[in-house]
Amino acid sequence: MSQGRGRIWGGSGKHTHLLILAYLFLLALPCTGFLPDFWSRVLTLSWTSRTHQHITEQSILNVTLETLRGPEKHHGEEQTRLGRGFWRAVGEVVKSNAAMDFLNSTKSDPVYHFDAERMDGAIGMLRQFWAQTLLSVQAEEYQTARHSLGQLFHSLQDFYSHSNWVEMGQRFIYLHLLQPDEPAVPVATEDTPTCMECFSVTCRGNLLPRLLNPQHNSRLLTTGYFGTFPPKPHGKCSHGGILDSSRHTGAKGGINKDSTSPFFSPHHYLHMEAAMLATEATLSVLRDLRDTVGHNTFLRLFSVRQIPALVFVMDTTGSMFEEITAARLRAHSIIQSRASSPGQPGTFILVPFHDPGVGPVHKTNDPNQFMQHMENLMALGGGDEPEMCLSAIQLALTHSPPLSDIFVFTDASPKDAHLFDAVKALALEKQSKVTFLLTEDPSYTTDSRGMKGRRRRRKRSQKPLSPDRFSLYSSLSSLSGGLTIFTTNSDIHKVSTIVEDNIAADKVTLFHVESDQDLRSSHSFRVDSSVKNVTLHVTGTLTECILTSPSDQSQSLLLEQGPLAALEHFKGLYRISLLPPIQPGQWSLQAKGDGHLTFSVIGDSSVDFLYYFAAVSNETHPGLARLDGSPVAGVPAFLVLAVTGLAPDEEVSFSHVTLLGADGEHLQQVKLNSSALSTYSVEELVGWVDAVPRVPFCVRLTGQDSRGNRLERVSTEMVHPTHVQIQVSSVPRLVPGHSTLVQFHVLNHGPARLFNLTADDDYGYLQKRGPHRLFVAEHGSFHGQVDLHTPDTAQTGATVSLTLTVRALNSPDSNYAVAYLTVIPPDPDTSPPSCSAAQVQSTCPSICNESRWSVSLAVSDRGRSGLAALQLQKGEGILTLFHSPPPTEDSQVEPGHDQREEHRDKVASGGSLHHHHHHISRLEKGDPPLNVTEWVVGSSQPLWARYTSSCCSAQAELLVWDTAGNMKRCHLTSGQQRQLTDRTTDTSSAGQITPSAGVFFLLGLLWSN
């Protein structure tokens, strides 16, 4: 791993001075919650503190590995599969979690942080986050699901840091937070004092005795007040710490456990206990989510084992017959190659367009269904040259996962140029590349395309066409890291091989640059020992191209064959494949072309990276706040990188990144240090950018592999620094039949000037799209809002992608923001099903194999949705379902050979209804969830069940779902009695059941986590 692991900042004294200044500055600022990220530990000098970032990342990693891991698989084998897509997905959850401390709409609201004894509101908000997460996952809107999941984690984790739960002696998670049918602990009323005075930085014993009482009936919950809103009543506890102004009013002191620093956390000595419970609660939510949506969907949520999506945007006008045929053949080839490889086949998306029609979007995980959609495409109609291409790309971006490659087949310029800013914002936010395969010569300046021997569009006029009519395509491909290829209908079949080259798994970019020089240009790229199958793509027209290997062997690619590389030349594209064995080291390329050239070098390797720019938060919390949109030019910023795909035992170090200009020139070198949070297959690194360049640039990461070879990776998207920012202040939910306001604010880092604001959404819910004219003073700000109206017919679970773009009128300065809004039902059902015992029979002696135990129970739905499915998650017995209360145990058949044979017949017949012995179905562990909707008419009607097992298997677990997606986890044990229990989770096991002092109940009283 990195040589810098374990240290935060080394090197120049300048960095140390900046750290000290930032730290002293933040001492005057407020703070709430667990610390958000790794940088918070630096600013608070609490190196061992557990942050929101650490708790969230480790929990997702553990449950993901737990889901992947089989008993026969080696641990390390699964870790290497968690590549760039997985860590991007985890990063979205972490970002949403941390944003709760940075967004204006949430950072000071006690409901989001379990502050000021706002328990009812905070619990209600938690359950809304859970319901929204389920809704988005079920709608396959995984990006919005990750956003709401991050919000849920933040509030849930804050509960254990901000309340007196730990001080009460609790060692298990508080189930009532997300399970309304679990016992609730009363909250201290507004006039009930909760704390005593504390006059030191460490507050021990400052909670009043009643707040520590272990007796179940007399204990009270409280959470600390923070700052001046809401005002703290006399005698209440403060959040505490040097950043909390309320600590000076009675009762002085505080109770927060955010960090291990006594200056920031009066109960710092309980930080690890609070962090452990917050971790267990996070793990519990993730396991519940996995069991609710299914293992495969859970892995898809976090982009595990996901082959890159195949996304085609197809012009279907009459001139596109050859292009459609080429796309079909290419798709078929890709699907055939994936059929023989392990893992999931991936996502397939097709967006057809012409004029004026766009869509519909065909999205599927079934390759055969995708090919059927491709076969149904027909090249018909057309006429005038422009088409609705950007509208189709917008749909492709909103429906495709992040980090996708989108391929556009067309021969027409865009008719919807007004959408360029929205499409650009989506491409950059999702870090997706857009590549255009254009079968049209841009030098044609009249609409006379029927003269070229092709099946062209109907000629309506001889109107002049601009030679720059494809410039928006070139701009979009350039800024997103894609390519624009001008080819012909006769070569489109061969040119489309670029699709297969780019969407194979574990593709990395080693070099990417554009050149407009007519003179000879020299470029170099490095190949390390982990890279296989290196391919160079050059677009444009080459007149000379010489490739030189690390051993100084040269080959003139246009004049001779081998030994270094094989060249394939098609109209508009040169495809150069390095021949094995590929020498590691620096390769060079000397080229001369006629006009614009683009060079791209890709290879196969699991080692890649993600990055973002960040700034120290100077408002509500010490930490690094991620900068959305483009960074501000000329000002300092942090550059945070995550190197992904590293094997656990791989010795790789990373020293710096280089900011490269549009022509590949070096603009700035940024030294890197480890964040000390690196783990498993990811390495987190941090760099300090003294001043963000004022010209567009991309990022190149440099390190060293295990053999001493230099390692380089390049991010292909171009960063466009600017002097204006736009931020979405709130991300509300959308309710059918209602209007919703989305707040935003614009920050002007330049002189006073006018701006145009343009808003767009992919569902057409915006009331006014703009452009809206704004005047913003020098270094000033503007606060505004846009209005969306959600129609009554809106589908719940849908995600509306809102893009906001601000552009200066007198300069090229512009920036963007993207918000994803979820449509939710007006009154969602958040109540899970229930399980209640009707009869218990257990005669388990010391010799377990001679006896059996059983429990009869009624399963029903507490909400309005009705029961949906049941599954026996754990246990070696049989669960039998009945329409009515089951007969007594004595009248039941012993669950032996005949009963198991009947169960197998039921499973083989697809779970059909059985009435033998008055039962309707039987379940065993390993069976898929059983759909029971047709057996339960009406949401309140119960379903009866009996579980029978050998005494050698003393525990069982039944999962019950309602049609809204709420899940109940029902636990059964063979004992005659048990104590009131809580379920706790462990990072190395699925969980354990531990009794606590409480009330005794008969077996069959069931509980959920």
Side-chain angles (χ1 to χ4, degrees):
M1 294 293 184
S2 170
Q3 296 172 345
R5 181 186 295 277
R7 59 190 176 95
I8 302 295
W9 283 107
S12 68
K14 180 178 181 180
H15 290 157
T16 304
H17 295 154
L18 288 169
L19 170 60
I20 294 172
L21 287 174
Y23 175 71
L24 292 175
F25 177 67
L26 282 163
L27 292 184
L29 300 171
C31 169
T32 60
F34 275 116
L35 302 176
D37 52 42
F38 67 90
W39 193 245
S40 310
R41 304 191 301 185
V42 180
L43 296 173
T44 60
L45 304 181
S46 54
W47 313 106
T48 58
S49 294
R50 295 289 184 263
T51 65
H52 281 296
Q53 177 184 354
H54 179 269
I55 293 170
T56 301
E57 286 182 346
Q58 290 301 308
S59 298
I60 296 175
L61 177 65
N62 287 339
V63 177
T64 299
L65 293 178
E66 176 186 295
T67 305
L68 284 171
R69 193 184 306 136
E72 74 285 354
K73 294 178 182 176
H74 188 269
H75 196 173
E77 294 176 358
E78 297 300 343
Q79 293 164 4
T80 59
R81 301 184 187 185
L82 305 180
R84 191 166 177 246
F86 171 78
W87 290 108
R88 155 86 193 208
V90 173
E92 289 177 4
V93 180
V94 170
K95 173 188 174 183
S96 175
N97 186 324
M100 299 281 276
D101 284 327
F102 302 138
L103 285 175
N104 291 332
S105 59
T106 58
K107 62 186 179 184
S108 300
D109 190 335
V111 168
Y112 292 100
H113 306 282
F114 275 95
D115 287 335
E117 297 181 329
R118 299 300 196 264
M119 289 289 295
D120 289 343
I123 290 174
M125 189 65 68
L126 267 186
R127 294 172 185 171
Q128 284 186 33
F129 289 147
W130 171 254
Q132 184 174 334
T133 301
L134 280 183
L135 194 64
S136 295
V137 172
Q138 291 163 350
E140 299 185 3
E141 298 285 359
Y142 299 126
Q143 197 165 6
T144 51
R146 293 189 287 265
H147 176 77
S148 55
L149 191 62
Q151 293 176 309
L152 186 157
F153 285 158
H154 186 99
S155 296
L156 181 68
Q157 293 158 5
D158 271 358
F159 168 78
Y160 297 97
S161 174
H162 294 180
S163 73
N164 64 322
W165 184 259
V166 174
E167 288 86 346
M168 292 167 64
Q170 298 287 352
R171 295 297 176 262
F172 312 108
I173 61 176
Y174 187 25
L175 300 178
H176 178 72
L177 294 178
L178 284 168
Q179 296 288 347
D181 56 337
E182 290 297 328
V185 178
V187 181
T189 60
E190 187 174 351
D191 57 353
T192 301
T194 55
C195 266
M196 297 181 287
E197 301 283 357
C198 171
F199 299 100
S200 63
V201 292
T202 299
C203 293
R204 295 182 184 270
N206 62 326
L207 282 160
L208 291 175
R210 187 176 181 186
L211 278 298
L212 303 172
N213 197 323
Q215 295 300 317
H216 176 70
N217 293 330
S218 59
R219 55 188 176 180
L220 291 175
L221 268 176
T222 188
T223 61
Y225 283 74
F226 182 85
T228 59
F229 178 82
K232 185 180 79 171
H234 184 75
K236 289 293 186 180
C237 300
S238 287
H239 179 85
I242 59 176
L243 305 182
D244 176 20
S245 60
S246 78
R247 77 186 190 278
H248 298 300
T249 61
K252 295 181 176 65
I255 63 171
N256 93 71
K257 298 161 283 292
D258 292 344
S259 72
T260 57
S261 168
F263 296 103
F264 292 87
S265 301
H267 284 199
H268 60 91
Y269 52 90
L270 294 174
H271 169 77
M272 288 303 178
E273 287 86 344
M276 184 177 299
L277 286 175
T279 301
E280 290 175 354
T282 306
L283 287 166
S284 179
V285 167
L286 287 166
R287 290 181 178 124
D288 277 354
L289 181 61
R290 176 192 63 193
D291 291 340
T292 299
V293 303
H295 287 213
N296 287 337
T297 300
F298 180 83
L299 294 177
R300 195 173 291 118
L301 170 65
F302 290 107
S303 299
V304 179
R305 289 179 175 174
Q306 291 300 296
I307 297 175
L310 177 59
V311 187
F312 282 166
V313 176
M314 296 295 307
D315 184 344
T316 60
T317 45
S319 59
M320 292 295 294
F321 175 80
E322 292 87 353
E323 292 87 338
I324 292 173
T325 303
R328 283 181 188 144
L329 295 174
R330 197 57 56 195
H332 184 266
S333 175
I334 292 169
I335 290 169
Q336 289 295 106
S337 65
R338 289 183 176 183
S340 58
S341 61
Q344 302 192 31
T347 300
F348 301 89
I349 298 174
L350 171 64
V351 185
F353 73 95
H354 51 281
D355 181 15
V358 178
V361 177
H362 302 292
K363 181 176 181 179
T364 179
N365 296 318
D366 183 351
N368 294 324
Q369 188 178 44
F370 178 75
M371 282 307 304
Q372 186 60 54
H373 290 311
M374 292 294 297
E375 293 296 333
N376 292 338
L377 291 179
M378 298 184 67
L380 295 173
D384 55 336
E385 200 267 353
E387 306 292 351
M388 304 294 286
C389 184
L390 293 180
S391 299
I393 298 173
Q394 182 185 34
L395 285 177
L397 284 165
T398 56
H399 286 83
S400 60
L403 306 177
S404 292
D405 281 81
I406 295 171
F407 298 93
V408 184
F409 292 77
T410 186
D411 62 357
S413 58
K415 191 173 187 177
D416 44 6
H418 64 280
L419 288 177
F420 178 78
D421 285 337
V423 172
K424 169 186 171 182
L426 288 169
L428 292 176
E429 193 279 329
K430 288 202 167 188
Q431 294 178 281
S432 293
K433 294 190 290 187
V434 184
T435 291
F436 292 88
L437 291 85
L438 299 171
T439 48
E440 179 70 357
D441 189 334
S443 64
Y444 296 156
T445 58
T446 59
D447 190 6
S448 56
R449 299 184 296 162
M451 306 299 293
K452 295 298 177 179
R454 298 183 51 199
R455 192 178 289 108
R456 296 289 184 178
R457 305 171 191 273
R458 296 191 309 272
K459 183 175 64 173
R460 289 186 178 175
S461 66
Q462 294 289 334
K463 63 182 179 182
L465 297 175
S466 168
D468 297 325
R469 64 188 181 277
F470 298 110
S471 61
L472 292 182
Y473 296 162
S474 299
S475 297
L476 185 58
S477 65
S478 176
L479 63 88
S480 68
L483 299 170
T484 296
I485 305 169
F486 291 96
T487 186
T488 63
N489 63 315
S490 58
D491 275 356
I492 186 62
H493 294 268
K494 297 176 181 177
V495 168
S496 64
T497 57
I498 197 169
V499 177
E500 288 188 71
D501 289 343
N502 279 275
I503 69 163
D506 294 328
K507 282 295 179 185
V508 298
T509 303
L510 307 177
F511 179 74
H512 189 93
V513 71
E514 298 185 20
S515 175
D516 287 313
Q517 301 177 6
D518 291 331
L519 301 176
R520 181 181 292 107
S521 59
S522 297
H523 309 285
S524 64
F525 61 92
R526 288 187 176 272
V527 177
D528 58 89
S529 57
S530 74
V531 179
K532 311 297 180 187
N533 301 325
V534 178
T535 304
L536 292 77
H537 295 123
V538 183
T539 66
T541 303
L542 286 170
T543 58
E544 181 181 318
C545 188
I546 300 174
L547 179 68
T548 304
S549 71
S551 59
D552 286 332
Q553 188 176 9
S554 296
Q555 176 184 345
S556 180
L557 295 172
L558 299 182
L559 300 177
E560 58 183 327
Q561 296 180 345
L564 300 180
L567 170 70
E568 297 175 272
H569 176 214
F570 321 118
K571 174 64 176 177
L573 176 68
Y574 300 82
R575 185 175 183 268
I576 304 165
S577 303
L578 297 192
L579 299 176
I582 301 174
Q583 299 178 37
Q586 179 170 298
W587 292 71
S588 63
L589 191 70
Q590 290 187 330
K592 186 177 181 181
D594 181 10
H596 183 87
L597 299 174
T598 302
F599 302 87
S600 179
V601 183
I602 58 176
D604 295 347
S605 173
S606 64
V607 181
D608 208 343
F609 75 102
L610 299 159
Y611 74 94
Y612 63 88
F613 287 92
V616 174
S617 168
N618 60 0
E619 294 185 14
T620 63
H621 212 297
L624 283 185
R626 186 183 305 224
L627 298 176
D628 291 326
S630 299
V632 178
V635 301
F638 286 95
L639 182 60
V640 184
L641 295 93
V643 184
T644 63
L646 298 171
D649 56 349
E650 192 167 3
E651 293 294 330
V652 182
S653 63
F654 302 95
S655 56
H656 65 276
V657 298
T658 305
L659 308 184
L660 303 173
D663 293 328
E665 71 275 20
H666 290 206
L667 300 177
Q668 189 177 151
Q669 188 176 99
V670 180
K671 293 183 178 180
L672 297 176
N673 290 267
S674 172
S675 73
L677 275 186
S678 304
T679 178
Y680 297 115
S681 59
V682 67
E683 170 99 3
E684 190 167 60
L685 305 164
V686 191
W688 173 256
V689 181
D690 292 318
V692 174
R694 298 179 183 275
V695 296
F697 64 89
C698 66
V699 178
R700 184 179 69 193
L701 171 67
T702 300
Q704 193 174 63
D705 66 16
S706 58
R707 301 180 184 179
N709 297 313
R710 193 169 177 177
L711 180 153
E712 289 182 351
R713 298 290 185 271
V714 175
S715 69
T716 54
E717 68 272 7
M718 295 297 293
V719 178
H720 287 254
T722 183
H723 294 90
V724 62
Q725 290 177 287
I726 181 169
Q727 299 172 354
V728 176
S729 308
S730 63
V731 185
R733 302 171 184 88
L734 304 180
V735 179
H738 292 74
S739 292
T740 305
L741 296 178
V742 178
Q743 310 286 337
F744 68 89
H745 64 278
V746 175
L747 303 174
N748 179 19
H749 296 273
R753 50 190 168 160
L754 289 171
F755 293 90
N756 271 344
L757 174 80
T758 304
D760 195 86
D761 75 286
D762 55 335
Y763 275 79
Y765 292 171
L766 275 165
Q767 298 293 86
K768 295 181 180 179
R769 298 174 179 272
H772 308 280
R773 184 80 44 104
L774 313 175
F775 176 80
V776 187
E778 181 177 2
H779 298 291
S781 63
F782 175 88
H783 295 265
Q785 60 191 27
V786 292
D787 185 12
L788 296 93
H789 181 76
T790 309
D792 294 326
T793 55
Q795 182 178 0
T796 58
T799 294
V800 177
S801 300
L802 172 67
T803 58
L804 300 174
T805 303
V806 61
R807 184 179 297 276
L809 267 63
N810 59 352
S811 76
D813 282 335
S814 68
N815 215 329
Y816 65 90
V818 180
Y820 299 102
L821 313 175
T822 302
V823 180
I824 64 168
D827 185 19
D829 178 7
T830 60
S831 298
S834 67
C835 301
S836 58
Q839 185 183 32
V840 178
Q841 291 189 348
S842 176
T843 55
C844 287
S846 57
I847 303 176
C848 64
N849 60 3
E850 295 181 353
S851 299
R852 60 185 179 140
W853 63 277
S854 68
V855 58
S856 298
L857 57 145
V859 181
S860 60
D861 183 32
R862 291 175 177 267
R864 306 175 306 277
S865 303
L867 293 176
L870 287 82
Q871 182 180 34
L872 188 63
Q873 179 84 343
K874 298 176 184 177
E876 301 302 322
I878 289 181
L879 185 78
T880 307
L881 303 180
F882 301 85
H883 275 304
S884 56
T888 62
E889 176 67 16
D890 293 339
S891 66
Q892 295 300 294
V893 179
E894 185 75 17
H897 174 78
D898 292 341
Q899 195 177 42
R900 294 183 184 276
E901 285 298 322
E902 183 181 348
H903 166 75
R904 293 190 188 99
D905 292 341
K906 182 269 295 182
V907 173
S909 64
S912 58
L913 206 65
H914 283 255
H915 291 279
H916 184 59
H917 296 309
H918 307 288
H919 69 269
I920 55 176
S921 191
R922 289 194 175 100
L923 285 174
E924 286 187 283
K925 185 180 71 173
D927 291 345
L930 180 67
N931 188 336
V932 298
T933 54
E934 63 181 33
W935 303 339
V936 182
V937 181
S939 61
S940 61
Q941 182 175 344
L943 189 66
W944 296 86
R946 178 189 293 279
Y947 178 76
T948 305
S949 174
S950 163
C951 289
C952 296
S953 176
Q955 295 185 0
E957 182 178 87
L958 174 66
L959 304 184
V960 185
W961 292 272
D962 65 16
T963 57
N966 300 302
M967 183 190 72
K968 175 77 174 181
R969 195 181 292 270
C970 306
H971 296 265
L972 303 159
T973 63
S974 62
Q976 285 283 355
Q977 293 179 329
R978 71 169 180 85
Q979 296 169 308
L980 181 64
T981 64
D982 292 316
R983 180 180 181 273
T984 181
T985 53
D986 187 280
T987 57
S988 61
S989 67
Q992 62 186 28
I993 307 221
T994 309
S996 64
V999 182
F1000 287 85
F1001 293 90
L1002 287 174
L1003 167 71
L1005 291 177
L1006 301 115
W1007 69 103
S1008 62
N1009 61 346

